[in-house]
Amino acid sequence: MAAAEARGGEGWREAPLTVPRALGKLPRPGKRGRDPRARQSATRRHAASRPADTPAPTWAPRAAPCPWPLPLPLLAARPDRSPQSPPAPRTRGALPAHPASGAPLSRPAEVQRTRWPGPRCPSGPRPLPAWPPCGAWCVPCLVSLDTLQELCRKEKLTCKSIGITKRNLNNYEVEYLCDYKVVKDMEYYLVKWKGWPDSTNTWEPLQNLKCPLLLQQFLNDKRNYLSQVKKGRAITLKDNNKALKPAIAEYIVKKAKQRIALQRWQDELNRKKNHKGMIFVENTVDLEGPPSDFYYVNEYKPAPGISLVNEATFGCSCTDCFFEKCCPAEAGVLLAYNKNRQIKIPPGTPIYECNSRCQCGPDCPNRIVQKGTQYSLCIFRTSNGCGWGVKTLVKIKRMSFVMEYVGEVITSEEAERRGQLYDNKGITYLFDLDYESDEFTVDAARYGNVSHFVNHSCDPNLQVFNVFIDNLDTRLPRIALFSTRTINAGEELTFDYQMKGSGDISSDSIDHSPAKKRVRTVCKCGAVTCRGYLN
């Protein structure tokens, strides 16, 4: 599944943005004097405390209030001209001028209009009425918060909405270390300052750096690179030259940017999830960053033309669903769980949980899958060529619910078309909903949850079950993954891609007729019982 993930990396999901400049001229660059406090910590300090022998930014540290509203995620674009300048002449292909000020309009399609506020950036969102006096328009902002901070600092602007004030406009905090050198027996590190552009990177003496974690990461990245080059041979003292080779410094910077991108992705996943278990991201294998074309969802996303009815028509009135006639009995099946909330029915038997119409409370023993993942899981980069994988960070008992398989619900005809494309790329994300009919398929290629990254194994530790909760349409069961045995912390989670909701994993269940012949994907699970192919 994860053998051919889309590439991401630094600058993940960040769109380029042109910084609007304030009306009138910006302050001229000022001069810096010497400061005797050269030994002060470089982790957090004011620009005035920078040592005199380090180059300073070419622009002045003096702040000007942000002249445009920045209510995230909106950013106002303002024309770069003074109010006294005459209106620009119309040229062929130019937009019409504003009726009041004569400023050329640059309104994107279907964006809200905003009236230009006072001289300072507001601390929060403001209403968006009427025409702006200078043709300023609020447009969606897709860049990260760090990038916005860099742009504000570069233009000497303050904006409370993104945390840039007069107090911290000139603060310096080490984001990561880029390079290393020794000059006159003194060690120096090239520092990338958080919230500042790369053009302001400076060489700082080791004694000024109070960031032991970043120093350790720098040394670890250096050792990892050297070990890869030397193919595992021990690193000797000869490698500690007075200056790093450009290839080593480049690798260290890429690892630092990758680490930041993965942390942002991890934060995004945890913001979007609706279950108890936390999600972590880890890559100690290569320079691969977050996937660029994957969107986290918590439930099925219907494709155009497909309707999902997620409201039950009836529910139970039990006071204790474990002993009374509950929803499973009404459907003609047994209650799926025991008193320890472990599944007790054989594969192929459907699970009917209590729904929103039931009178039982949230502690009902027949509400397991609907509560989501309870375990902390880690999306990690595998070392066997299988791309991303998922491992558990805690011990999981046998026959316990682990996660749900979600994605985009499409028709079987569309699944056949996409399947041809996926097979040519060597990836597999299609899961047929064939509990009673073969009308719909779940595609987790672009939309999905943690299960998107779970790899295949011919000897898996997860089992597939069909679940019905609010949607009782037998064509659209929910797919739940339960543990088949005890899974220890740090162990990778896997399930059989050929496993059906009925528990059938025989090769006869797969159609290899000439009309539907596909490219076969080689299996890399490494199990003793490996069948050799994923499809």
Side-chain angles (χ1 to χ4, degrees):
M1 173 185 294
E5 291 287 343
R7 296 187 64 84
E10 63 248 23
W12 171 65
R13 290 189 190 169
E14 292 187 2
L17 179 66
T18 302
V19 182
R21 300 189 60 175
L23 293 180
K25 295 183 179 180
L26 291 172
R28 297 186 63 182
K31 297 182 179 180
R32 293 180 185 269
R34 288 185 174 271
D35 195 319
R37 298 172 292 175
R39 296 178 180 270
Q40 189 174 349
S41 169
T43 304
R44 279 192 180 274
R45 58 200 177 114
H46 192 273
S49 66
R50 185 186 296 280
D53 58 344
T54 55
T58 57
W59 23 266
R62 219 170 60 191
C66 178
W68 71 86
L70 273 175
L72 295 178
L74 297 178
L75 180 67
R78 193 172 190 180
D80 187 13
R81 66 182 186 85
S82 63
Q84 292 79 15
S85 59
R90 286 287 305 277
T91 58
R92 184 174 182 179
L95 293 172
H98 189 276
S101 64
L105 300 182
S106 57
R107 174 166 61 94
E110 299 181 6
V111 295
Q112 293 177 300
R113 292 175 287 189
T114 180
R115 186 177 297 280
W116 201 256
R120 289 188 175 274
C121 179
S123 58
R126 288 188 177 182
L128 304 174
W131 281 86
C134 297
W137 294 90
C138 284
V139 297
C141 179
L142 303 179
V143 299
S144 68
L145 180 63
D146 291 341
T147 303
L148 288 177
Q149 291 177 344
E150 290 181 8
L151 294 173
C152 278
R153 285 193 167 108
K154 185 176 181 180
E155 294 293 329
K156 305 177 291 296
L157 301 172
T158 59
C159 180
K160 293 182 180 180
S161 295
I162 61 174
I164 301 297
T165 62
K166 286 185 177 180
R167 181 175 299 234
N168 65 15
L169 178 66
N170 295 315
N171 280 3
Y172 288 86
E173 179 184 353
V174 177
E175 186 171 19
Y176 56 86
L177 304 175
C178 308
D179 206 344
Y180 170 84
K181 67 180 180 181
V182 178
V183 179
K184 296 181 180 179
D185 296 330
M186 283 192 64
E187 296 180 282
Y188 288 86
Y189 286 88
L190 183 60
V191 175
K192 167 63 172 69
W193 302 101
K194 186 175 182 180
W196 295 87
D198 291 339
S199 59
T200 63
N201 293 358
T202 58
W203 287 96
E204 298 290 336
L206 176 60
Q207 61 187 7
N208 281 7
L209 300 177
K210 306 300 180 183
C211 47
L213 179 59
L214 296 180
L215 287 168
Q216 187 61 46
Q217 288 177 348
F218 183 91
L219 296 177
N220 291 340
D221 293 340
K222 175 186 174 183
R223 292 192 187 100
N224 290 337
Y225 178 84
L226 294 176
S227 63
Q228 293 175 12
V229 173
K230 297 185 177 183
K231 298 180 180 180
R233 287 192 291 123
I235 301 174
T236 64
L237 295 177
K238 294 181 180 179
D239 297 317
N240 298 324
N241 298 323
K242 291 187 176 182
L244 290 183
K245 295 181 179 179
I248 302 178
E250 181 182 2
Y251 173 82
I252 291 175
V253 171
K254 287 182 178 179
K255 285 298 293 184
K257 291 183 177 180
Q258 178 205 50
R259 198 175 288 114
I260 295 172
L262 292 179
Q263 182 62 47
R264 291 175 182 169
W265 185 40
Q266 175 180 302
D267 295 340
E268 179 191 2
L269 295 178
N270 284 285
R271 284 195 304 267
K272 291 184 176 180
K273 72 175 180 65
N274 63 357
H275 51 77
K276 178 181 177 181
M278 296 296 294
I279 303 174
F280 297 88
V281 180
E282 174 186 289
N283 186 354
T284 60
V285 176
D286 53 28
L287 294 173
E288 186 74 14
S292 59
D293 195 24
F294 172 75
Y295 306 93
Y296 194 94
V297 295
N298 293 291
E299 56 187 13
Y300 284 162
K301 177 181 175 60
I306 297 179
S307 176
L308 300 179
V309 180
N310 289 321
E311 184 177 354
T313 56
F314 63 90
C316 70
S317 57
C318 306
T319 57
D320 191 341
C321 296
F322 194 78
F323 296 101
E324 300 181 39
K325 186 177 181 180
C326 192
C327 299
E330 294 291 342
V333 297
L334 297 174
L335 183 70
Y337 311 113
N338 60 21
K339 293 182 178 180
N340 296 324
R341 300 177 180 263
Q342 296 170 301
I343 194 165
K344 63 180 183 179
I345 59 176
T349 307
I351 300 174
Y352 281 84
E353 290 194 358
C354 293
N355 54 59
S356 56
R357 294 271 183 170
C358 296
Q359 298 182 12
C360 54
D363 296 330
C364 171
N366 194 33
R367 296 181 185 270
I368 303 297
V369 174
Q370 60 193 264
K371 291 184 178 180
T373 301
Q374 303 295 303
Y375 306 102
S376 293
L377 306 176
C378 179
I379 302 172
F380 75 105
R381 195 71 177 171
T382 62
S383 57
N384 59 355
C386 292
W388 295 101
V390 179
K391 62 183 177 182
T392 175
L393 300 180
V394 294
K395 182 178 180 180
I396 301 177
K397 295 181 179 180
R398 63 184 299 271
M399 312 307 290
S400 299
F401 170 69
V402 179
M403 70 180 72
E404 192 174 352
Y405 192 90
V406 301
E408 184 182 10
V409 179
I410 59 177
T411 63
S412 296
E413 292 77 10
E414 175 65 14
E416 182 65 26
R417 185 189 70 82
R418 295 187 186 185
Q420 297 284 351
L421 300 176
Y422 294 161
D423 288 345
N424 292 332
K425 296 179 180 180
I427 58 178
T428 305
Y429 291 108
L430 300 176
F431 200 110
D432 293 331
L433 300 179
D434 55 356
Y435 171 65
E436 280 196 354
S437 63
D438 193 11
E439 187 173 346
F440 298 107
T441 298
V442 176
D443 182 6
R446 295 189 64 197
Y447 301 94
N449 59 1
V450 181
S451 63
H452 166 97
F453 303 96
V454 177
N455 281 318
H456 161 85
S457 176
C458 297
D459 184 20
N461 51 24
L462 299 179
Q463 171 70 46
V464 176
F465 283 86
N466 292 306
V467 185
F468 298 94
I469 306 177
D470 283 317
N471 190 347
L472 301 179
D473 188 346
T474 56
R475 302 173 303 166
L476 294 165
R478 294 167 66 167
I479 305 302
L481 300 175
F482 287 78
S483 58
T484 60
R485 56 176 175 81
T486 300
I487 306 175
N488 297 319
E491 188 174 350
E492 183 178 0
L493 303 176
T494 58
F495 72 95
D496 194 329
Y497 288 1
Q498 296 184 15
M499 187 180 296
K500 305 295 181 180
S502 61
D504 181 13
I505 57 173
S506 63
S507 58
D508 297 336
S509 63
I510 305 173
D511 188 357
H512 294 305
S513 60
K516 296 183 178 181
K517 187 175 181 180
R518 294 177 174 176
V519 179
R520 304 200 69 182
T521 305
V522 177
C523 179
K524 301 178 182 180
C525 71
V528 178
T529 57
C530 180
R531 297 187 295 271
Y533 295 94
L534 297 181
N535 51 0

